Amino acid sequence: MNPIRLPCYCGSLRQASRVVTQLYDQILKPSGVKITQFGILKLLAACPDMTTGGMAEALAMDSTTLTRTLKIIQNNCWIDVATGADRRQRCWNITEAGLQRLQDAEPLWKNAQKEFARLAHDVDLDGLTRTVFHLVQKVGE
């Protein structure tokens, strides 16, 4: 791969996001779970009965993109949905199959974390994570 350095902040962040996503997806491939799906399963395992809007906010995701990903995960029977207090509200939960898939994917995810840390050995990853989270908070206000 021969990427170019982009002069655009957004383009640079998206470029980095794509290559990191590809790395994680490749390592997670044997589990059948993509990194975007893994994050949603982890969130629902920790926070059951989340609404679509609550998840979109927590993940800083566009609700249309989230809804597409939720549909794929639901079709795999890893999550299910119920109507909330407001009939328009949809509350999501991880299923037993989803929990099992998450447990199967967890060691692969840990391997992806280690591989990323190995590749970025000269980067302060804790500082990077703090900085990115700070950007999410500032820009998302």
Side-chain angles (χ1 to χ4, degrees):
M1 176 166 62
N2 194 20
I4 62 168
R5 184 174 177 179
L6 300 174
C8 171
Y9 302 134
C10 180
S12 294
L13 286 169
R14 290 177 56 87
Q15 186 182 44
S17 177
R18 282 191 295 273
V19 298
V20 173
T21 297
Q22 290 167 6
L23 172 72
Y24 276 72
D25 281 349
Q26 184 62 38
I27 295 172
L28 284 169
K29 194 172 190 170
S31 73
V33 177
K34 294 186 173 290
I35 191 60
T36 51
Q37 298 166 344
F38 181 85
I40 291 168
L41 291 174
K42 285 289 278 187
L43 180 62
L44 288 176
C47 305
D49 288 320
M50 284 199 84
T51 63
T52 305
M55 272 193 283
E57 188 176 320
L59 298 169
M61 258 180 109
D62 171 75
S63 61
T64 304
T65 303
L66 176 61
T67 300
R68 274 196 308 269
T69 305
L70 288 171
K71 188 69 177 160
I72 293 166
I73 302 171
Q74 184 182 26
N75 288 343
N76 287 326
C77 300
W78 300 339
I79 58 173
D80 58 24
V81 65
T83 304
D86 176 339
R87 294 179 58 101
R88 296 168 294 173
Q89 197 175 49
R90 299 171 62 90
C91 298
W92 297 90
N93 285 289
I94 190 167
T95 63
E96 285 300 318
L99 283 170
Q100 185 60 56
R101 189 58 64 132
L102 186 58
Q103 286 177 350
D104 294 345
E106 189 94 29
L108 297 171
W109 173 80
K110 286 180 181 178
N111 290 342
Q113 290 279 94
K114 288 177 188 172
E115 178 61 10
F116 183 72
R118 185 188 70 75
L119 292 169
H121 69 277
D122 58 342
V123 175
D124 174 7
L125 292 177
D126 290 333
L128 175 65
T129 303
R130 278 191 307 276
T131 299
V132 170
F133 183 67
H134 180 72
L135 285 171
V136 168
Q137 289 179 309
K138 293 296 270 183
V139 176
E141 289 179 339

